[in-house]
PDB file of all heavy atoms in Angstrom:
ATOM      1  N   ILE U  34     124.272  92.352  89.905  1.00  0.00           N
ATOM      2  CA  ILE U  34     124.258  91.877  88.523  1.00  0.00           C
ATOM      3  C   ILE U  34     125.525  92.326  87.795  1.00  0.00           C
ATOM      4  O   ILE U  34     126.107  91.576  87.010  1.00  0.00           O
ATOM      5  CB  ILE U  34     122.991  92.379  87.802  1.00  0.00           C
ATOM      6  CG1 ILE U  34     121.765  91.638  88.352  1.00  0.00           C
ATOM      7  CG2 ILE U  34     123.085  92.188  86.296  1.00  0.00           C
ATOM      8  CD1 ILE U  34     120.438  92.152  87.837  1.00  0.00           C
ATOM      9  N   GLY U  64     114.426  93.061 100.424  1.00  0.00           N
ATOM     10  CA  GLY U  64     114.450  94.425 100.930  1.00  0.00           C
ATOM     11  C   GLY U  64     113.363  94.710 101.944  1.00  0.00           C
ATOM     12  O   GLY U  64     113.500  95.603 102.788  1.00  0.00           O
ATOM     13  N   PRO U  74     115.474 100.786 104.561  1.00  0.00           N
ATOM     14  CA  PRO U  74     115.091 100.489 103.178  1.00  0.00           C
ATOM     15  C   PRO U  74     116.311 100.487 102.267  1.00  0.00           C
ATOM     16  O   PRO U  74     116.986 101.499 102.116  1.00  0.00           O
ATOM     17  CB  PRO U  74     114.150 101.646 102.821  1.00  0.00           C
ATOM     18  CG  PRO U  74     114.588 102.766 103.695  1.00  0.00           C
ATOM     19  CD  PRO U  74     115.158 102.167 104.952  1.00  0.00           C
ATOM     20  N   GLY U  86     105.204  99.168 108.142  1.00  0.00           N
ATOM     21  CA  GLY U  86     105.880  97.900 108.415  1.00  0.00           C
ATOM     22  C   GLY U  86     106.652  97.934 109.719  1.00  0.00           C
ATOM     23  O   GLY U  86     106.526  97.042 110.563  1.00  0.00           O
ATOM     24  N   GLY U  93     104.910  94.391 117.958  1.00  0.00           N
ATOM     25  CA  GLY U  93     104.977  92.943 118.090  1.00  0.00           C
ATOM     26  C   GLY U  93     104.303  92.202 116.952  1.00  0.00           C
ATOM     27  O   GLY U  93     104.019  91.003 117.071  1.00  0.00           O
ATOM     28  N   ALA U  95     105.535  91.951 113.712  1.00  0.00           N
ATOM     29  CA  ALA U  95     106.462  91.849 112.583  1.00  0.00           C
ATOM     30  C   ALA U  95     106.092  90.696 111.667  1.00  0.00           C
ATOM     31  O   ALA U  95     106.219  90.787 110.440  1.00  0.00           O
ATOM     32  CB  ALA U  95     107.894  91.669 113.100  1.00  0.00           C
ATOM     33  N   GLY U 109     101.223  90.216  93.458  1.00  0.00           N
ATOM     34  CA  GLY U 109     101.575  91.318  92.557  1.00  0.00           C
ATOM     35  C   GLY U 109     102.498  90.869  91.445  1.00  0.00           C
ATOM     36  O   GLY U 109     102.300  91.210  90.268  1.00  0.00           O
ATOM     37  N   SER U 113     101.482  90.553  87.439  1.00  0.00           N
ATOM     38  CA  SER U 113     102.302  91.277  86.476  1.00  0.00           C
ATOM     39  C   SER U 113     102.884  90.338  85.419  1.00  0.00           C
ATOM     40  O   SER U 113     103.015  90.718  84.249  1.00  0.00           O
ATOM     41  CB  SER U 113     103.429  92.010  87.218  1.00  0.00           C
ATOM     42  OG  SER U 113     103.981  93.021  86.423  1.00  0.00           O
ATOM     43  N   THR U 183     128.407 121.764  95.290  1.00  0.00           N
ATOM     44  CA  THR U 183     129.435 120.720  95.487  1.00  0.00           C
ATOM     45  C   THR U 183     130.516 121.167  96.464  1.00  0.00           C
ATOM     46  O   THR U 183     131.324 120.330  96.897  1.00  0.00           O
ATOM     47  CB  THR U 183     130.093 120.360  94.151  1.00  0.00           C
ATOM     48  OG1 THR U 183     130.691 121.540  93.582  1.00  0.00           O
ATOM     49  CG2 THR U 183     129.088 119.785  93.172  1.00  0.00           C
ATOM     50  N   PHE U 184     130.565 122.464  96.770  1.00  0.00           N
ATOM     51  CA  PHE U 184     131.560 123.016  97.703  1.00  0.00           C
ATOM     52  C   PHE U 184     132.983 122.639  97.279  1.00  0.00           C
ATOM     53  O   PHE U 184     133.844 122.322  98.102  1.00  0.00           O
ATOM     54  CB  PHE U 184     131.281 122.547  99.140  1.00  0.00           C
ATOM     55  CG  PHE U 184     129.898 122.880  99.617  1.00  0.00           C
ATOM     56  CD1 PHE U 184     128.907 121.900  99.633  1.00  0.00           C
ATOM     57  CD2 PHE U 184     129.570 124.171 100.011  1.00  0.00           C
ATOM     58  CE1 PHE U 184     127.613 122.197 100.054  1.00  0.00           C
ATOM     59  CE2 PHE U 184     128.280 124.480 100.438  1.00  0.00           C
ATOM     60  CZ  PHE U 184     127.301 123.487 100.448  1.00  0.00           C
ATOM     61  N   VAL U 196     121.524 105.760  98.608  1.00  0.00           N
ATOM     62  CA  VAL U 196     121.820 104.868  99.736  1.00  0.00           C
ATOM     63  C   VAL U 196     122.316 105.617 100.973  1.00  0.00           C
ATOM     64  O   VAL U 196     121.798 105.398 102.070  1.00  0.00           O
ATOM     65  CB  VAL U 196     122.811 103.760  99.313  1.00  0.00           C
ATOM     66  CG1 VAL U 196     123.214 102.901 100.509  1.00  0.00           C
ATOM     67  CG2 VAL U 196     122.187 102.880  98.238  1.00  0.00           C
ATOM     68  N   ASN U 227     102.899  86.796 117.015  1.00  0.00           N
ATOM     69  CA  ASN U 227     102.414  86.158 115.792  1.00  0.00           C
ATOM     70  C   ASN U 227     103.478  86.117 114.705  1.00  0.00           C
ATOM     71  O   ASN U 227     104.282  87.020 114.576  1.00  0.00           O
ATOM     72  CB  ASN U 227     101.190  86.898 115.264  1.00  0.00           C
ATOM     73  CG  ASN U 227     101.525  88.341 114.939  1.00  0.00           C
ATOM     74  OD1 ASN U 227     102.219  89.018 115.696  1.00  0.00           O
ATOM     75  ND2 ASN U 227     101.050  88.822 113.820  1.00  0.00           N
ATOM     76  N   LYS U 237      91.475  92.629 105.276  1.00  0.00           N
ATOM     77  CA  LYS U 237      91.776  94.058 105.142  1.00  0.00           C
ATOM     78  C   LYS U 237      92.709  94.327 103.961  1.00  0.00           C
ATOM     79  O   LYS U 237      92.618  95.359 103.300  1.00  0.00           O
ATOM     80  CB  LYS U 237      92.461  94.578 106.420  1.00  0.00           C
ATOM     81  CG  LYS U 237      91.538  94.781 107.594  1.00  0.00           C
ATOM     82  CD  LYS U 237      92.368  95.297 108.764  1.00  0.00           C
ATOM     83  CE  LYS U 237      91.550  95.383 110.041  1.00  0.00           C
ATOM     84  NZ  LYS U 237      92.395  95.795 111.196  1.00  0.00           N
ATOM     85  N   SER U 246      98.504  95.625  92.644  1.00  0.00           N
ATOM     86  CA  SER U 246      98.938  94.847  91.476  1.00  0.00           C
ATOM     87  C   SER U 246      98.723  95.624  90.184  1.00  0.00           C
ATOM     88  O   SER U 246      99.600  95.677  89.314  1.00  0.00           O
ATOM     89  CB  SER U 246      98.170  93.519  91.405  1.00  0.00           C
ATOM     90  OG  SER U 246      98.412  92.730  92.553  1.00  0.00           O
ATOM     91  N   LEU U 255     107.114 102.345  83.083  1.00  0.00           N
ATOM     92  CA  LEU U 255     107.688 103.656  82.809  1.00  0.00           C
ATOM     93  C   LEU U 255     109.124 103.738  83.297  1.00  0.00           C
ATOM     94  O   LEU U 255     109.438 103.315  84.413  1.00  0.00           O
ATOM     95  CB  LEU U 255     106.857 104.751  83.492  1.00  0.00           C
ATOM     96  CG  LEU U 255     105.365 104.748  83.162  1.00  0.00           C
ATOM     97  CD1 LEU U 255     104.667 105.836  83.944  1.00  0.00           C
ATOM     98  CD2 LEU U 255     105.154 104.938  81.669  1.00  0.00           C
ATOM     99  N   ALA U 324     123.646  92.437  79.137  1.00  0.00           N
ATOM    100  CA  ALA U 324     123.837  90.986  79.183  1.00  0.00           C
ATOM    101  C   ALA U 324     123.294  90.325  77.910  1.00  0.00           C
ATOM    102  O   ALA U 324     123.905  89.404  77.358  1.00  0.00           O
ATOM    103  CB  ALA U 324     123.140  90.412  80.411  1.00  0.00           C
ATOM    104  N   PRO U 341     112.269  83.097  70.519  1.00  0.00           N
ATOM    105  CA  PRO U 341     111.125  82.785  71.387  1.00  0.00           C
ATOM    106  C   PRO U 341     111.516  81.939  72.597  1.00  0.00           C
ATOM    107  O   PRO U 341     110.891  82.055  73.656  1.00  0.00           O
ATOM    108  CB  PRO U 341     110.179  82.011  70.464  1.00  0.00           C
ATOM    109  CG  PRO U 341     111.054  81.465  69.386  1.00  0.00           C
ATOM    110  CD  PRO U 341     112.137  82.473  69.199  1.00  0.00           C
ATOM    111  N   ALA U 381     121.518  97.379 118.023  1.00  0.00           N
ATOM    112  CA  ALA U 381     121.866  98.709 117.502  1.00  0.00           C
ATOM    113  C   ALA U 381     123.262  98.733 116.870  1.00  0.00           C
ATOM    114  O   ALA U 381     123.410  99.199 115.733  1.00  0.00           O
ATOM    115  CB  ALA U 381     121.762  99.755 118.615  1.00  0.00           C
ATOM    116  N   GLY U 391     127.056  98.334 104.082  1.00  0.00           N
ATOM    117  CA  GLY U 391     126.200  98.450 102.905  1.00  0.00           C
ATOM    118  C   GLY U 391     126.494  99.703 102.110  1.00  0.00           C
ATOM    119  O   GLY U 391     126.549  99.672 100.876  1.00  0.00           O
ATOM    120  N   GLN U 398     133.733 104.136  98.701  1.00  0.00           N
ATOM    121  CA  GLN U 398     134.212 105.468  99.050  1.00  0.00           C
ATOM    122  C   GLN U 398     133.992 105.729 100.534  1.00  0.00           C
ATOM    123  O   GLN U 398     132.864 105.581 101.034  1.00  0.00           O
ATOM    124  CB  GLN U 398     133.481 106.545  98.238  1.00  0.00           C
ATOM    125  CG  GLN U 398     133.852 106.563  96.775  1.00  0.00           C
ATOM    126  CD  GLN U 398     133.223 107.737  96.040  1.00  0.00           C
ATOM    127  OE1 GLN U 398     132.416 108.458  96.600  1.00  0.00           O
ATOM    128  NE2 GLN U 398     133.603 107.927  94.784  1.00  0.00           N
ATOM    129  N   ILE U 402     130.588 107.161 103.938  1.00  0.00           N
ATOM    130  CA  ILE U 402     130.395 106.883 105.365  1.00  0.00           C
ATOM    131  C   ILE U 402     130.188 108.188 106.135  1.00  0.00           C
ATOM    132  O   ILE U 402     129.336 108.276 107.026  1.00  0.00           O
ATOM    133  CB  ILE U 402     131.592 106.090 105.935  1.00  0.00           C
ATOM    134  CG1 ILE U 402     131.644 104.705 105.271  1.00  0.00           C
ATOM    135  CG2 ILE U 402     131.496 105.956 107.451  1.00  0.00           C
ATOM    136  CD1 ILE U 402     132.809 103.853 105.709  1.00  0.00           C
ATOM    137  N   GLY U 409     122.579 110.852 109.340  1.00  0.00           N
ATOM    138  CA  GLY U 409     122.104 110.250 110.582  1.00  0.00           C
ATOM    139  C   GLY U 409     121.773 111.306 111.622  1.00  0.00           C
ATOM    140  O   GLY U 409     120.729 111.237 112.292  1.00  0.00           O
ATOM    141  N   VAL U 410     122.644 112.311 111.734  1.00  0.00           N
ATOM    142  CA  VAL U 410     122.388 113.435 112.654  1.00  0.00           C
ATOM    143  C   VAL U 410     121.150 114.210 112.199  1.00  0.00           C
ATOM    144  O   VAL U 410     120.300 114.592 113.017  1.00  0.00           O
ATOM    145  CB  VAL U 410     123.620 114.362 112.728  1.00  0.00           C
ATOM    146  CG1 VAL U 410     123.308 115.609 113.558  1.00  0.00           C
ATOM    147  CG2 VAL U 410     124.811 113.610 113.319  1.00  0.00           C
ATOM    148  N   PHE U 420     109.517 115.707 112.254  1.00  0.00           N
ATOM    149  CA  PHE U 420     109.548 115.617 110.800  1.00  0.00           C
ATOM    150  C   PHE U 420     109.782 114.165 110.384  1.00  0.00           C
ATOM    151  O   PHE U 420     110.670 113.499 110.921  1.00  0.00           O
ATOM    152  CB  PHE U 420     110.680 116.472 110.215  1.00  0.00           C
ATOM    153  CG  PHE U 420     110.422 117.952 110.286  1.00  0.00           C
ATOM    154  CD1 PHE U 420     110.702 118.659 111.440  1.00  0.00           C
ATOM    155  CD2 PHE U 420     109.906 118.626 109.198  1.00  0.00           C
ATOM    156  CE1 PHE U 420     110.473 120.026 111.517  1.00  0.00           C
ATOM    157  CE2 PHE U 420     109.671 119.990 109.262  1.00  0.00           C
ATOM    158  CZ  PHE U 420     109.953 120.700 110.417  1.00  0.00           C
ATOM    159  N   SER U 433     115.346 114.343  90.763  1.00  0.00           N
ATOM    160  CA  SER U 433     116.206 114.318  89.584  1.00  0.00           C
ATOM    161  C   SER U 433     115.400 114.002  88.330  1.00  0.00           C
ATOM    162  O   SER U 433     115.640 114.581  87.260  1.00  0.00           O
ATOM    163  CB  SER U 433     117.332 113.298  89.771  1.00  0.00           C
ATOM    164  OG  SER U 433     116.798 112.023  90.057  1.00  0.00           O
ATOM    165  N   ILE U 458      98.336 113.314  77.406  1.00  0.00           N
ATOM    166  CA  ILE U 458      98.650 112.597  78.655  1.00  0.00           C
ATOM    167  C   ILE U 458      99.121 113.572  79.728  1.00  0.00           C
ATOM    168  O   ILE U 458      98.612 113.577  80.852  1.00  0.00           O
ATOM    169  CB  ILE U 458      99.703 111.498  78.405  1.00  0.00           C
ATOM    170  CG1 ILE U 458      99.172 110.457  77.419  1.00  0.00           C
ATOM    171  CG2 ILE U 458     100.073 110.815  79.723  1.00  0.00           C
ATOM    172  CD1 ILE U 458     100.175 109.395  77.030  1.00  0.00           C
ATOM    173  N   PRO U 473      90.485 120.081  98.629  1.00  0.00           N
ATOM    174  CA  PRO U 473      90.363 120.510 100.033  1.00  0.00           C
ATOM    175  C   PRO U 473      89.746 121.901 100.181  1.00  0.00           C
ATOM    176  O   PRO U 473      88.956 122.143 101.103  1.00  0.00           O
ATOM    177  CB  PRO U 473      91.813 120.494 100.537  1.00  0.00           C
ATOM    178  CG  PRO U 473      92.518 119.535  99.630  1.00  0.00           C
ATOM    179  CD  PRO U 473      91.873 119.701  98.307  1.00  0.00           C
TER     180      PRO U 473
END
Side-chain angles (χ1 to χ4, degrees):
I34 289 173
S113 198
T183 59
F184 304 101
V196 175
N227 60 317
K237 284 180 186 176
S246 299
L255 306 178
Q398 289 186 353
I402 295 178
V410 174
F420 288 83
S433 56
I458 298 176

